[in-house]
């Protein structure tokens, strides 16, 4: 069944293969080019500026100042689409007829100053764009509202994804809102209860396969060739388009003055691809005057992209068996690595890898700033420490960390860390001693006022 692509006078978009440049009229079931097998993406022919310095309004039909004020005005609207932090920016997205839009008022996420973390890493101007403040508590909602709407537009009854937990939670919610059925393929074990419980409550058909994320992807790719099921993984270019809006919203929050650095976690590499695409498009449309450097951080145990860039100069990727306690990014064969590489090269960003203990410590530090996030998001702060150490990020520069998931997504990890159990009996035990000062284990006491006062006084003495 050919999948719909939207082409209207409002936003003319086309599909293009990122490998061979073919421009198919419609997408295949797995969103790969039928000629070369690489991924397809949306592009907007009218936005390409032919000559450097050419006036954006004349060549694209979009006036940057008018767009900015239109988007700002929509914030006071009572229309559901205007209230969404994704659909509010619909002029920069392919056209989907509004009657097919499924929205939970996603986006609109806060940008927080991180003063303590900033002091600790030596960057005063450090902020976090908290994508965990979305309706299903992860960044996936911004892409999912758009891709689920495209499934609705295409008349699909079933949507499906392979997931480490957040995509499935998000997909299940949006499918339910759009009266579609959803099929979730997740690894059996190594997925947080918070995420699993979401897809159950939102009514998905949830299959826990005895494999890892990469194994789930393989089965799903075969399934969509045989069944009329719409694939909602981030290879779906509508996902990338929706996720672009996180970067657009961020620039709006910064008064369209880009930071020097944006730092994101890297798993399947859809998010970095989307943010990179948005930055380049905003630069081309003259919404921003320069590009921030987009850097991508992976866990050491799930670092195929890091190795691709560092060891093979981005020429190839070697799939691996991934292992990390940051289960969201436990991915050994990232689908969107070429798109992410392009984002890295376009913006001049870097790659880094961080250890399990570095992730756990960074997570507790983000928590101690009163913000919190799930383990995969904390790789950003851990990575920033390394980028600072190497001198890639300078003390005077501004940095935005993209926190991808909410603290409550994975309470098991948090409790084990604070109780000192997370690394007990593992090879990381010795390194974990360095993070001991960040642990705040609960204190179990008799129901006795004196005991509580004793603990309070001791804490006060220790804080001096
Ligand atoms: N952070 C969190 C919390 C995630 O859930 C994911 C990916 C990432 C970072 C990495 O983003 O894949 O775009 O590079 N989670 C996917 C899932 C794979 O199935 O929920 P990416």
């Amino acid at each position: 069944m050919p999948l719909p692509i939207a082409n209207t006078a409002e936003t003319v978009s086309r599909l293009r293969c990122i490998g061979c440049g073919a421009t198919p009229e419609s997408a295949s079931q797995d969103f790969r080019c039928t000629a070369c097998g690489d991924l397809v993406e949306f592009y907007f022919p009218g936005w390409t500026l032919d000559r450097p310095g050419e006036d954006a309004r004349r060549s694209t039909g979009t006036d940057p100042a008018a767009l900015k004020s239109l988007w700002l005005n929509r914030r006071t609207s009572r229309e559901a689409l205007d209230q969404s932090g994704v659909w509010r920016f619909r002029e920069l997205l392919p056209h989907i007829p509004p009657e097919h839009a499924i929205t939970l008022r996603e986006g609109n996420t806060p940008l927080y100053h991180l003063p303590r973390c900033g002091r600790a890493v030596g960057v005063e101007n450090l902020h976090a764009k908290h994508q965990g403040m979305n309706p299903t508590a992860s960044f996936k909602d911004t892409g999912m509202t758009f891709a689920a709407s495209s499934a609705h537009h295409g008349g699909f009854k079933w949507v499906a994804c392979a997931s480490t937990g957040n995509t499935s939670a998000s997909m299940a919610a949006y499918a339910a809102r759009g009266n579609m059925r959803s099929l979730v393929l997740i690894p059996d074990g190594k997925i947080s209860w918070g995420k699993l419980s979401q897809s159950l409550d939102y009514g998905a058909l949830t299959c826990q396969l005895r494999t890892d994320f990469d194994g789930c992807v393989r089965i799903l790719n075969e399934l969509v060739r045989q069944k009329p099921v719409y694939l909602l993984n981030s290879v779906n270019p509508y996902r990338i388009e929706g996720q672009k809006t996180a970067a657009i919203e961020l620039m709006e929050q910064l008064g369209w003055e880009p930071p020097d650095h944006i730092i994101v976690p890297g798993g399947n590499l859809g998010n970095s691809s989307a943010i990179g695409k948005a930055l380049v498009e905003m630069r081309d449309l003259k919404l921003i005057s320069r590009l921030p450097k987009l850097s991508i951080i992976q866990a050491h145990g799930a670092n195929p992209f890091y190795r691709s860039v560092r060891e093979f100069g981005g020429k190839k990727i070697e799939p691996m068996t991934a292992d990390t306690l940051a289960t969201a990014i436990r991915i050994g064969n990232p689908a969107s690595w070429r798109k992410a590489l392009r984002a890295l090269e376009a913006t001049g960003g870097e790659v880094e890898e961080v250890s399990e203990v570095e992730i756990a410590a960074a997570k507790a530090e983000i928590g101690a700033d009163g913000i919190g996030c799930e383990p995969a998001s904390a790789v950003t702060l851990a990575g920033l420490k390394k980028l600072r150490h190497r001198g890639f990020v300078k003390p005077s520069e501004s940095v935005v960390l993209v926190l991808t998931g909410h603290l409550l997504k994975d309470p098991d990890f948090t409790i084990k860390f604070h109780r000192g159990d997370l690394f007990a009996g593992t090879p990381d035990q010795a390194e974990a001693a360095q993070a001991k000062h960040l642990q705040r284990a609960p204190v179990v006491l008799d129901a006795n006022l004196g005991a509580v006062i004793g603990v309070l006084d001791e804490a006060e003495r220790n804080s001096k």
Side-chain angles (χ1 to χ4, degrees), residues 284-433:
D284 288 351
L285 290 171
K286 298 217 166 7
L287 288 158
I288 54 175
S289 56
R290 63 186 171 88
L291 289 176
K293 296 188 175 78
L294 180 68
S295 292
I296 302 173
I297 318 294
Q298 294 204 295
H300 171 71
N303 65 353
F305 185 65
Y306 169 83
R307 285 180 34 243
S308 165
V309 175
R310 288 290 177 88
E311 289 172 29
F312 312 124
K315 299 257 180 316
K316 62 166 187 170
I317 197 153
E318 252 180 24
M320 65 188 288
T321 303
D323 199 14
T324 168
L325 292 172
T327 52
I329 50 173
R330 196 167 170 266
I331 295 173
N333 190 12
S336 295
W337 73 275
R338 278 212 179 83
K339 289 185 181 178
L341 183 69
R342 214 178 38 178
L344 210 65
E345 287 172 353
T347 66
E350 262 294 350
V351 283
E352 258 307 343
E353 62 167 357
V354 291
S355 73
E356 296 293 295
V357 173
E358 287 168 335
I359 296 171
K363 188 175 113 57
E365 287 174 296
I366 294 167
D369 243 330
I371 306 293
C373 62
E374 69 163 283
S377 311
V379 302
T380 54
L381 180 65
L384 171 61
K385 290 180 190 171
K386 294 200 153 170
L387 295 175
R388 263 290 293 125
H389 193 71
R390 284 169 45 195
F392 182 71
V393 174
K394 313 225 162 22
S396 59
E397 290 184 316
S398 53
V399 180
V400 175
L401 309 179
V402 178
L403 302 183
T404 44
H406 197 280
L407 168 66
L408 295 177
K409 282 281 191 177
D410 194 352
D412 275 0
F413 181 109
T414 309
I415 289 173
K416 280 188 189 149
F417 172 77
H418 286 288
R419 286 197 169 140
D421 299 339
L422 195 60
F423 300 109
T426 75
D428 294 324
Q429 196 165 343
E431 189 190 342

Side-chain angles (χ1 to χ4, degrees), residues 137-140 161-169 195 213 233-234 239 243 265-273 296 298 327-329 331 334 374-377 403-406 409:
S138 88
F139 74 105
K140 305 288 182 183
C161 72
S163 180
T164 55
N166 278 328
T167 300
S168 44
K195 299 172 191 179
F213 170 80
N233 274 72
S234 58
R239 285 271 313 275
Q243 268 170 233
N268 214 19
L269 298 171
N271 199 30
S272 29
S273 305
I296 302 173
Q298 294 204 295
T327 52
I329 50 173
I331 295 173
E374 69 163 283
S377 311
L403 302 183
T404 44
H406 197 280
K409 282 281 191 177

